[in-house]
Amino acid sequence: MAVTILYPYKSFVSFHISSFKNHSSNVYATIVSHDGRAITIDGHRRVLLSGSIHYPRSTPEMWPDLIKKGKEGGLDAIETYVFWNAHEPTRRQYDFSRKLDLIRFLKTIQDEGLYGVLRIGPYACAEWNYGGFPVWLHNMPGMVFRTTNKAFMDEMQNFTTMIVDMVKKENLFASQGGPIILAQIENEYGNVMGPYGESGKEYIKWCANMAQSLDVGVPWIMCQQNDAPQPMLNTCNGFYCDNFVPNNPNTPKMWTENWTGWFKQWGGKNPHRTTEDVAFSVARFFQRGGTFNNYYMYHGGTNFDRTAGGPYITTSYDYDAPLDEYGNLSQPKYGHLKQLHDVLHSIEKTLTYGNISTIDFGNSASATIYKTEEGSSCFFGNGNENSDATISFQGESYVVPAWSVTILPDCKNEAYNTAKITTQTSMMVKKPNEAEDTPSTLKWSWRPENMDNFLLKGKGESTQTQLFDQKVVTNDQSDYLWYMTTVKFKKRDPLLGKTMSLRVNSTAHVLHAFVNGKNIGNQHAENGKFNYVFEKDVKFKSGRNVIALLSITVGLANYGAFFESKPAGITGPIFITGINGDETIVKDLSAHKWSYKTGLNGFDNQLFRTESMSKWSVENVPFNRTMTWYKATFKSPLGNDPVVVDLMGLGKGTAWVNGNNIGRYWPAFISSENGCDAKCNYRGAYHAEKCLTNCGEPTQRWYHVPQGDNTLVLFEEMGGNPSLVSFQTTRVGSVCANVYEKKIIELSCDRKPISAIKFASFGNPNGNCGSFEKGTCESSKNTVDILTQECVGKEKCCIDVSTERFGAPDCSGAPRRLAVEAIC
């Protein structure tokens, strides 16, 4: 499954190569190198580093800063998805406004002098709702996705052609002098192709022919498609792609998604991929002939509104990326990868023109030498998970730590090792809103969600004598769908007064059940099982009884063969059961007359709009009340730090700031207590369950507020306490380093001065950032005083870690290190 920085939610950022020519003054021709090892751009062979940034997962105001940080981090390009359902929410009605302004995003990339990779798809996956497909597409007669289905192919071609024409009109393809050097058709189809049989093979051929017919002047790629027809370039996605071999020997070895982390799901924990392992994967990829690496994600961003897929993908799409959800540098990952990019760029000519030879030292240790007439560059790799390797090469001895790669640009001097981090670790903190006295200054008003028509009258918008999949009725215009029916009992019905229950076979992600206006219970899918049975005892009355079932979706399925056919909602059957003595009587309601209503009244009346004229009460604001709207005003936090709202204490619902939907919330969904790691070992192959934190805590409690103005509206479904809600800012609280002698470390508080040195020791200190301790050997000089004089009061300082500066502690021959923690 792929993850990237996309334009709404997935886009790639490439490393900056200083020798690239400026887009504004040159027309670029992009071709594939015939030696299979490099891409040739305007006659120059390049190794490309890229990162994904999805434009809809950020705001236009964030784009220049994100893209600039990508370039400063060593990227040459930005990669992004194009989300069909975002741009064509209704058939033949298009939206390219604000955060959906694809052309503006691409021009922002161009303005920064970077290249672009345009992943049109239009299937994206990307943990995006319905994989990027619009639900109206599913509801067309005879529709089957991603196969030789004429209705699907016609719609796919229409959208793809429209995007290509838009981009061509603005001269944004490299063949026109623009930044886009690669385009993508389809996405990870090879992973799910089997069930489609021969039609799947024919479909991929059609995709290739259709794409080629659009004449974009740059190569088309297909990721995870081993049988990609020529001239499509097949590429790799995954945590590691060093063993990937293209299906054509003349195709460069390209990695379109290097997963920097993983996504979060409601009820789950926080996944992390270590900095050392990401760097190891990149270095080994280039050691083994790689030519293009893209980080998925470089900036993950936020699944605003209802864009999160799933089911159960969280609003946050931080993805443990080098740039965090709010756009901050995620250190040390950002800095350690920047150093790697700088080293790779310094040997780019050797990598693209050099002859390759390898030496196998055994026990998973090897050397790869790239040699030209001008010189050589070397990679020393150690894939052993447990033991360091000592490599003897050209009369010198080199120690390569377990699960790491050392790069020697001249084959003599070590310039970089993936396991040796020499960049700072930044500890991010949340700060109270200094524009407010205390969080309690939020003054709340409220109003109930009006459900009388549904609960008491069973009155909807349409009526059918069957149960429908929720997608069919709502067209994905809302998370909410009412299913309502009326059941009549005669006064002398043998069931009345007996034990009776309502039994609902449900694929609703969340279900609320009401009988005669009374909530008889709710239930949500758990442990990945989205097909469950809801059953509650009910007392029916003689005469008319109204059953109202509110089905709620939390992101539609986005991955797998025929994922569009996965049901959502209440597809039944639904029974009333009663026990009359020894007899059990079952009444099947599935073919009853069912009334349907999409959405809720508060959404229809746009209570989330700041200009809404609806009446709100400030008296007796209730807490822990279901189906309730809350509203408060707040002062904009001081300063320029990213703003977050802490929704701890709430149940489940949706939040808006100034009428902008900032996403679904569900802090009542607590992760399990088990499975977290106090310390993550970077050695050994990574998987999504390897390094987890946040056990026993809400999956997500903080929400990105892209515009920090002054009205917050909440719709609370399950009941919560809004008095605990507060606005905060996120910033660097402290920075740490733990580096070996003969290295230079830079400490920076991200445009804020360093206020104090909390800890410093030169010798063999122990512990981690936030819990350092002195070891058994210690420099005679006062390390704290030296660093206080050098760093305090400055926004950044550089320290040469040497015995000349700190003294020479006797550590019995062991390597000496400097550990420091500075307060920002």
Side-chain angles (χ1 to χ4, degrees):
M1 186 170 296
V3 204
T4 316
I5 303 178
L6 310 178
Y7 76 95
Y9 141 92
K10 218 176 179 180
S11 81
F12 298 102
V13 182
S14 303
F15 298 115
H16 173 67
I17 295 175
S18 58
S19 55
F20 278 174
K21 295 181 180 179
N22 188 290
H23 299 298
S24 62
S25 59
N26 291 88
V27 173
Y28 278 77
T30 307
I31 61 173
V32 177
S33 169
H34 293 295
D35 63 7
R37 274 219 326 271
I39 292 175
T40 302
I41 301 175
D42 198 28
H44 298 280
R45 289 161 65 177
R46 300 295 180 214
V47 167
L48 286 171
L49 296 167
S50 173
S52 292
I53 298 173
H54 300 155
Y55 52 97
R57 285 179 164 150
S58 54
T59 63
E61 293 77 16
M62 295 175 67
W63 296 344
D65 183 61
L66 292 172
I67 293 167
K68 181 179 181 180
K69 286 174 177 174
K71 181 177 181 179
E72 291 172 348
L75 300 184
D76 302 309
I78 303 292
E79 187 171 288
T80 186
Y81 277 122
V82 180
F83 295 109
W84 189 355
N85 58 354
H87 292 302
E88 194 176 358
T90 302
R91 189 170 185 260
R92 302 301 183 264
Q93 295 180 24
Y94 302 104
D95 186 357
F96 290 91
S97 61
R98 284 207 40 80
K99 66 182 180 182
L100 298 178
D101 192 342
L102 171 63
I103 299 302
R104 179 177 172 182
F105 183 76
L106 295 173
K107 288 185 176 180
T108 306
I109 294 171
Q110 184 176 33
D111 290 343
E112 197 57 56
L114 294 176
Y115 292 99
V117 178
L118 189 63
R119 303 181 76 180
I120 300 174
Y123 168 70
C125 180
E127 291 72 59
W128 191 262
N129 191 47
Y130 219 39
F133 285 140
V135 170
W136 59 258
L137 186 70
H138 168 71
N139 293 336
M140 292 180 66
M143 176 63 66
V144 183
F145 290 1
R146 305 177 81 189
T147 188
T148 51
N149 175 281
K150 186 177 186 305
F152 175 77
M153 292 189 295
D154 286 348
E155 294 300 324
M156 175 177 168
Q157 184 167 5
N158 179 79
F159 180 76
T160 304
T161 302
M162 182 192 66
I163 295 299
V164 166
D165 288 346
M166 283 179 59
V167 174
K168 277 186 176 180
K169 183 179 179 181
E170 300 294 331
N171 296 315
L172 291 172
F173 285 108
S175 54
Q176 303 172 293
I180 301 171
I181 57 173
L182 295 167
Q184 180 177 312
I185 194 70
E186 252 298 342
N187 183 47
E188 295 185 328
Y189 189 70
N191 293 351
V192 300
M193 186 172 170
Y196 294 92
E198 290 301 316
S199 294
K201 296 177 183 179
E202 291 302 313
Y203 167 66
I204 280 298
K205 293 178 183 177
W206 173 84
C207 288
N209 291 331
M210 186 267 287
Q212 279 300 111
S213 72
L214 297 177
D215 191 25
V216 297
V218 302
W220 287 92
I221 58 177
M222 284 184 171
C223 65
Q224 298 295 87
Q225 193 66 45
N226 292 334
D227 62 349
Q230 298 301 307
M232 301 292 106
L233 311 181
N234 71 310
T235 67
C236 182
N237 291 351
F239 293 117
Y240 309 95
C241 282
D242 48 284
N243 290 324
F244 167 70
V245 178
N247 65 2
N248 184 324
N250 294 327
T251 295
K253 185 171 178 174
M254 301 170 68
W255 191 356
T256 35
E257 292 191 15
N258 180 348
W259 302 331
T260 59
W262 204 239
F263 55 89
K264 295 198 297 184
Q265 293 180 283
W266 295 115
K269 306 168 185 70
N270 290 353
H272 302 278
R273 187 181 181 193
T274 64
T275 297
E276 296 95 330
D277 187 60
V278 177
F280 172 67
S281 71
V282 176
R284 190 159 69 166
F285 176 70
F286 283 102
Q287 178 181 0
R288 297 182 176 180
T291 188
F292 171 89
N293 171 83
N294 176 77
Y295 295 105
Y296 189 98
M297 303 289 295
Y298 198 77
H299 165 71
T302 305
N303 291 318
F304 295 117
D305 206 334
R306 302 173 52 253
T307 56
Y312 282 17
I313 306 297
T314 59
T315 296
S316 172
Y317 198 67
D318 182 82
Y319 220 77
D320 203 26
L323 298 177
D324 72 13
E325 179 177 3
Y326 315 110
N328 299 312
L329 306 186
S330 182
Q331 299 282 31
K333 189 170 283 186
Y334 176 90
H336 193 52
L337 293 176
K338 179 185 186 306
Q339 293 174 352
L340 172 58
H341 306 160
D342 290 344
V343 172
L344 290 171
H345 284 142
S346 74
I347 60 175
E348 180 189 17
K349 185 174 182 180
T350 309
L351 292 180
T352 55
Y353 288 93
N355 294 316
I356 304 174
S357 60
T358 60
I359 303 172
D360 187 349
F361 295 100
N363 201 26
S364 300
S366 65
T368 304
I369 302 97
Y370 287 81
K371 185 175 182 180
T372 67
E373 294 181 356
E374 298 173 0
S376 301
S377 298
C378 292
F379 293 79
F380 294 162
N382 179 11
N384 192 291
E385 298 180 21
N386 303 306
S387 59
D388 297 347
T390 300
I391 290 178
S392 296
F393 182 78
Q394 295 183 350
E396 299 289 339
S397 182
Y398 302 88
V399 176
V400 184
W403 203 255
S404 78
V405 174
T406 295
I407 304 177
L408 305 89
D410 57 1
C411 285
K412 294 181 181 179
N413 299 294
E414 175 182 322
Y416 183 89
N417 177 269
T418 60
K420 299 176 183 177
I421 295 177
T422 59
T423 193
Q424 72 179 33
T425 295
S426 297
M427 305 291 286
M428 306 303 294
V429 296
K430 305 293 192 303
K431 294 285 188 180
N433 179 3
E434 296 175 354
E436 302 280 5
D437 296 330
T438 65
S440 64
T441 55
L442 288 178
K443 302 298 183 183
W444 292 98
S445 57
W446 75 285
R447 56 172 294 153
E449 169 64 21
N450 182 359
M451 301 184 291
D452 289 349
N453 276 343
F454 317 132
L455 303 188
L456 302 178
K457 299 178 182 179
K459 184 179 179 182
E461 299 167 323
S462 62
T463 303
Q464 296 289 338
T465 54
Q466 68 181 96
L467 294 166
F468 280 114
D469 185 299
Q470 185 161 339
K471 298 189 298 295
V472 174
V473 182
T474 68
N475 229 22
D476 198 36
Q477 299 302 303
S478 173
D479 285 350
Y480 304 95
L481 178 64
W482 288 98
Y483 294 73
M484 297 163 286
T485 194
T486 299
V487 181
K488 293 182 179 180
F489 288 99
K490 296 179 179 179
K491 289 184 179 181
R492 297 180 181 180
D493 193 297
L495 285 178
L496 288 178
K498 306 298 182 181
T499 301
M500 303 179 70
S501 68
L502 178 67
R503 180 183 178 93
V504 181
N505 289 272
S506 174
T507 56
H509 304 155
V510 181
L511 171 64
H512 293 266
F514 303 83
V515 174
N516 296 326
K518 181 181 178 181
N519 186 346
I520 64 169
N522 61 68
Q523 189 168 332
H524 64 269
E526 294 186 274
N527 302 318
K529 298 178 180 178
F530 292 93
N531 193 332
Y532 59 91
V533 175
F534 170 91
E535 187 165 16
K536 293 289 182 180
D537 290 343
V538 182
K539 287 187 177 181
F540 290 98
K541 63 184 181 180
S542 62
R544 182 174 177 270
N545 294 266
V546 177
I547 298 173
L549 305 175
L550 179 60
S551 171
I552 305 173
T553 54
V554 189
L556 298 178
N558 56 259
Y559 184 75
F562 303 107
F563 72 86
E564 75 275 14
S565 64
K566 292 181 180 179
I570 303 170
T571 52
I574 298 176
F575 304 106
I576 294 175
T577 61
I579 299 176
N580 186 20
D582 294 334
E583 182 183 12
T584 299
I585 302 173
V586 177
K587 185 177 181 66
D588 189 344
L589 303 181
S590 305
H592 253 231
K593 183 184 290 186
W594 287 92
S595 184
Y596 294 92
K597 169 65 171 69
T598 296
L600 298 170
N601 281 328
F603 286 77
D604 293 344
N605 295 326
Q606 299 189 335
L607 297 182
F608 47 82
R609 296 289 184 192
T610 55
E611 64 273 16
S612 171
M613 300 302 292
S614 300
K615 293 181 179 180
W616 296 73
S617 174
V618 296
E619 303 296 330
N620 302 316
V621 178
F623 297 153
N624 301 313
R625 186 182 189 279
T626 62
M627 302 296 170
T628 303
W629 292 83
Y630 296 99
K631 182 166 68 171
T633 58
F634 62 95
K635 295 180 181 177
S636 299
L638 302 176
N640 298 316
D641 293 324
V643 178
V644 298
V645 58
D646 183 359
L647 299 185
M648 190 67 171
L650 296 180
K652 178 187 178 296
T654 306
W656 294 262
V657 172
N658 300 325
N660 297 299
N661 190 327
I662 62 173
R664 304 181 182 104
Y665 65 79
W666 202 349
F669 209 154
I670 307 297
S671 66
S672 67
E673 296 281 353
N674 303 316
C676 287
D677 306 277
K679 184 177 181 181
C680 184
N681 187 350
Y682 70 85
R683 296 177 297 183
Y686 178 75
H687 54 86
E689 302 297 320
K690 182 178 180 181
C691 300
L692 302 174
T693 62
N694 208 45
C695 282
E697 299 291 335
T699 303
Q700 183 179 352
R701 60 182 286 189
W702 286 287
Y703 288 76
H704 188 192
V705 180
Q707 292 117 356
D709 285 336
N710 57 11
T711 302
L712 171 66
V713 174
L714 306 171
F715 173 63
E716 175 57 59
E717 298 170 12
M718 293 184 170
N721 185 354
S723 71
L724 301 178
V725 171
S726 66
F727 283 86
Q728 302 164 10
T729 57
T730 179
R731 56 169 292 185
V732 179
S734 62
V735 295
C736 303
N738 190 353
V739 298
Y740 285 97
E741 185 181 2
K742 299 181 181 179
K743 297 292 183 180
I744 295 176
I745 178 66
E746 179 181 283
L747 300 178
S748 170
C749 280
D750 191 22
R751 301 183 298 276
K752 293 179 176 61
I754 297 170
S755 62
I757 302 297
K758 180 180 178 181
F759 177 92
S761 174
F762 182 59
N764 63 348
N766 300 312
N768 301 302
C769 188
S771 60
F772 285 132
E773 295 178 347
K774 291 184 177 181
T776 57
C777 67
E778 176 77 13
S779 169
S780 58
K781 295 183 180 180
N782 190 316
T783 311
V784 172
D785 287 350
I786 294 172
L787 290 173
T788 297
Q789 183 175 357
E790 182 69 33
C791 298
V792 171
K794 300 177 181 177
E795 291 186 4
K796 66 175 61 177
C797 60
C798 292
I799 304 109
D800 182 6
V801 183
S802 64
T803 55
E804 290 78 14
R805 190 167 186 80
F806 295 104
D810 182 7
C811 296
S812 302
R816 293 176 286 228
R817 290 176 289 108
L818 170 68
V820 56
E821 180 177 0
I823 306 300
C824 295

